[in-house]
Amino acid sequence: QVQLVESGGGSVQAGGSLRLSCAASGRTFGGYVMGWSRQAPGKEREFVAGISWSGGSTYYADSVKGRFTISRDNVKNTSYLQMNSLKPEETAAYYCTADYSTSAMRSGVYNYWGQGTQVTVST
């Protein structure tokens, strides 16, 4: 089991930036991939970004390419999501995810989920 705890959410004006962090604990040895997904009120959960164990491969939803950057620090068992040029429609709960299957990185289907952190983007 992998436990995930997100932090860094908050309120920001449109065009602003936030950096989310996700601390992993538990069964953190081995090559697990990590990712971020989000769910806006009344909408389905959607994949945002994924990163391989080494950090050498990353994947992004088309809607965030060029504005969001996912990274990780395996010494700290932590992943990050740098979000720039935020838009009001990106107001959502953001969830950290992890999985031992590398296919999860592209599919957005992960076994382990955090509790989520709220991001609110105002006009």
Side-chain angles (χ1 to χ4, degrees), residues 86-116:
L86 282 161
K87 305 174 182 179
E89 55 265 36
E90 295 180 310
T91 293
Y94 282 71
Y95 297 89
C96 177
T97 58
D99 202 289
Y100 284 94
S101 171
T102 55
S103 65
M105 188 168 53
R106 298 187 185 189
S107 69
V109 179
Y110 290 81
N111 275 319
Y112 303 107
W113 292 73
Q115 292 300 307

Side-chain angles (χ1 to χ4, degrees), residues 40-60:
K43 295 188 177 181
E44 293 186 355
R45 194 171 290 183
E46 66 171 337
F47 166 77
V48 174
I51 187 168
S52 62
W53 165 254
S54 69
S57 295
T58 56
Y59 292 91
Y60 296 94

Side-chain angles (χ1 to χ4, degrees), residues 17-20 67-71 80-84:
S17 299
L18 280 176
R19 188 193 194 205
L20 306 182
R67 298 185 298 116
F68 289 15
T69 303
I70 188 172
S71 60
Y80 306 95
L81 184 67
Q82 177 66 44
M83 306 185 293
N84 298 329

